[in-house]
Amino acid sequence: MSEIVLVNISGIDKPGLTAQMMNILADWEVEILDIGQAVIHDTLSFGVMVHIPDPVEPVQKDLLYHLHSLNMQIRFTQISRPDYMQWAAGKGQQRQVITLLGREINAAQLAWVSRVISEQGLNIDDIRRLSGRPQLTQAGLEPIKQTVSIELNVRGLPQDVQLMQQQFLEISGETGMDIAFQHDNIYRRHRRLVCFDMDSTLIQTEVIDELAEEAGIGEQCKAITESAMRGELDFTESFAKRLSLLKGLDESVLQKVADRLPITEGAEKLLSTLNKLGYKTAILSGGFNYFGQHLQRKLGVDYVFANELEIIDGKVTGEVQGTVVDGNRKAELLEMLAGKENITLEQVIAVGDGANDLPMLSKAGLGIAFHAKPLVRESASHAISNLGLDAILYLMGLRDSDTGELG
């Protein structure tokens, strides 16, 4: 009678090993039911589930003899038909992806995350490293600034998604490791548009505060900005208050501020990679067009929508022309761009840090709170709080080896 057998092989990896094994199994007309392998530091762990026609023993002896000559270890496990059918049915469950991001990832962090996953009734099917192999810091030298990312593919549905995300936020706060949870569907692998907030997202400052510094009212403006970003003030009202403080500012100051804008860590790598892969990108900002267009030229952004600062006779009037780009307007613009590009909202990524970004973050298939205020971080589905913008590439499932090929 035919049997279902799980064959596990381990040892030092050798070129051509898979071909040799498959040739042996082919000679006995064996059916492959499942197969997988991993190589860590030249050590192979290989598994194949096979359906072997009777007689089974000659196939096993053939494999044992060949692999023994290669100094490989092999183990056979017989699988009953009911167990196989139950396992096969489980493979049809919904799948999720949990991405871990940090300057380093250690055993304690993985143990904590794995415990949460288990308590939620999920099962880890696959673990893969997205980042390059981490470098080790030598004694007495400064720590190497690097990003480490591991992707966990899990099966099943969480029993309590909200509780799980709260626990992930707790782990992130305690350990400095960001954790993202996504449904593994076709849209996750086919995002086409990435929309960015500008101030404190693509750049590490608030432009209006920089202008206020030049006008000599920096502290007054900054206090209003921080209150608005925390969600304590209505954006439109706070924007009007800050803008009125700039009345009379000389137009020449704008270029001076634009020239010193600090680009956020990872922004140039992220935009360069997205451009090479054919993604469309947009800046949707409650700031000013002048600075959005400056970044557009610098980073290669496709679309810019921001406020048009009114200037008359070389002086800022303290007003803007047209509709103010607030939170709701950002969400509308995101929807408009998705329609223009003929894609679904599930194919859109939105990135922002402030309360006025929440409407667009909730509209996008992947909404990311980037170095965000507590209110935003807790309200958004995903958060990056400890790394640069290029960490978004890992949330898209890209590996360092993928982006390295783009050169």
Side-chain angles (χ1 to χ4, degrees):
M1 182 179 178
S2 63
E3 290 185 12
I4 299 171
V5 178
L6 176 61
V7 183
N8 292 106
I9 297 164
S10 61
I12 301 301
D13 191 26
K14 299 174 179 64
L17 178 63
T18 303
Q20 295 173 52
M21 275 195 58
M22 292 302 113
N23 283 334
I24 293 171
L25 295 175
D27 288 342
W28 294 96
E29 298 182 351
V30 169
E31 180 184 1
I32 306 297
L33 301 177
D34 196 19
I35 188 169
Q37 75 169 45
V39 178
I40 300 178
H41 197 61
D42 294 330
T43 300
L44 172 72
S45 178
F46 181 93
V48 57
M49 187 179 293
V50 293
H51 186 208
I52 305 177
D54 196 47
V56 174
E57 289 77 11
V59 183
Q60 294 177 327
K61 287 181 179 179
D62 212 352
L63 286 171
L64 275 168
Y65 175 80
H66 183 76
L67 290 166
H68 179 73
S69 68
L70 297 174
N71 200 28
M72 304 289 287
Q73 297 177 349
I74 185 169
R75 185 176 77 251
F76 299 102
T77 305
Q78 186 172 347
I79 308 296
S80 71
R81 289 177 180 269
D83 284 348
Y84 172 76
M85 296 302 292
Q86 183 178 7
W87 170 83
K91 284 294 182 181
Q93 291 181 326
Q94 290 197 38
R95 304 184 67 82
Q96 325 295 333
V97 172
I98 297 172
T99 310
L100 312 182
L101 303 150
R103 296 299 181 189
E104 65 171 15
I105 295 177
N106 58 42
Q109 293 167 328
L110 275 172
W112 197 347
V113 171
S114 301
R115 185 165 63 249
V116 171
I117 291 171
S118 177
E119 290 170 352
Q120 287 291 331
L122 301 171
N123 187 63
I124 300 173
D125 273 352
D126 182 54
I127 301 175
R128 67 172 186 151
R129 175 177 47 80
L130 299 179
S131 56
R133 292 177 175 85
Q135 301 179 54
L136 300 178
T137 302
Q138 297 182 19
L141 298 179
E142 286 291 321
I144 299 168
K145 196 171 187 179
Q146 59 188 337
T147 299
V148 179
S149 180
I150 295 174
E151 184 180 88
L152 311 177
N153 288 276
V154 302
R155 182 166 22 101
L157 287 172
Q159 296 169 3
D160 187 333
V161 174
Q162 187 174 5
L163 173 61
M164 184 181 70
Q165 290 181 327
Q166 288 174 348
Q167 290 172 319
F168 284 163
L169 277 174
E170 179 184 351
I171 296 171
S172 179
E174 290 285 334
T175 68
M177 177 179 70
D178 294 319
I179 307 167
F181 170 81
Q182 302 179 66
H183 296 296
D184 188 17
N185 55 33
I186 190 170
Y187 298 114
R188 189 183 79 88
R189 298 182 293 276
H190 293 86
R191 313 285 190 198
R192 302 308 309 153
L193 170 66
V194 187
C195 298
F196 297 94
D197 172 47
M198 179 173 66
D199 299 66
S200 296
T201 300
L202 278 178
I203 54 175
Q204 293 178 300
T205 189
E206 295 284 329
V207 167
I208 199 166
D209 291 344
E210 295 294 319
L211 294 174
E213 285 288 340
E214 294 293 331
I217 39 88
E219 291 303 316
Q220 186 179 352
C221 186
K222 190 172 293 185
I224 301 172
T225 298
E226 290 177 354
S227 183
M229 291 301 100
R230 289 193 299 266
E232 297 168 356
L233 288 176
D234 171 77
F235 174 81
T236 303
E237 179 186 358
S238 69
F239 182 65
K241 285 183 178 180
R242 289 174 288 166
L243 191 56
S244 66
L245 296 175
L246 302 179
K247 184 176 181 179
L249 187 66
D250 194 271
E251 182 181 11
S252 63
V253 172
L254 274 62
Q255 186 60 53
K256 180 180 177 182
V257 170
D259 289 340
R260 70 170 189 246
L261 290 179
I263 304 298
T264 299
E265 176 195 350
E268 290 170 306
K269 177 182 176 182
L270 173 61
L271 268 297
S272 172
T273 302
L274 292 175
N275 289 335
K276 288 174 182 175
L277 290 174
Y279 285 79
K280 293 294 184 179
T281 55
I283 292 174
L284 307 182
S285 173
F288 304 115
N289 262 327
Y290 183 95
F291 303 96
Q293 290 164 0
H294 172 81
L295 290 174
Q296 181 179 35
R297 294 188 293 270
K298 187 178 183 68
L299 299 174
V301 177
D302 293 295
Y303 301 103
V304 174
F305 293 92
N307 297 300
E308 192 63 50
L309 192 60
E310 186 179 67
I311 298 173
I312 297 177
D313 297 329
K315 301 290 183 180
V316 173
T317 67
E319 303 285 343
V320 292
Q321 297 174 332
T323 304
V324 172
V325 180
D326 59 7
N328 290 331
R329 181 59 178 158
K330 287 187 180 187
E332 291 171 1
L333 289 166
L334 183 146
E335 286 191 275
M336 181 272 291
L337 287 174
K340 178 180 175 64
E341 295 296 330
N342 196 28
I343 60 175
T344 69
L345 291 176
E346 284 286 344
Q347 294 175 276
V348 181
I349 298 173
V351 189
D353 73 295
N356 64 319
D357 294 314
L358 282 172
M360 76 168 181
L361 297 186
S362 64
K363 286 279 186 185
L366 178 60
I368 303 168
F370 181 76
H371 290 231
K373 315 305 182 281
L375 170 69
V376 182
R377 189 167 62 246
E378 292 166 11
S379 301
S381 299
H382 308 88
I384 294 176
S385 302
N386 302 288
L387 301 167
L389 277 170
D390 54 333
I392 291 171
L393 296 170
Y394 297 125
L395 298 190
M396 296 166 64
L398 293 173
R399 300 167 297 181
D400 280 356
S401 56
D402 298 325
T403 56
E405 292 175 0
L406 297 174

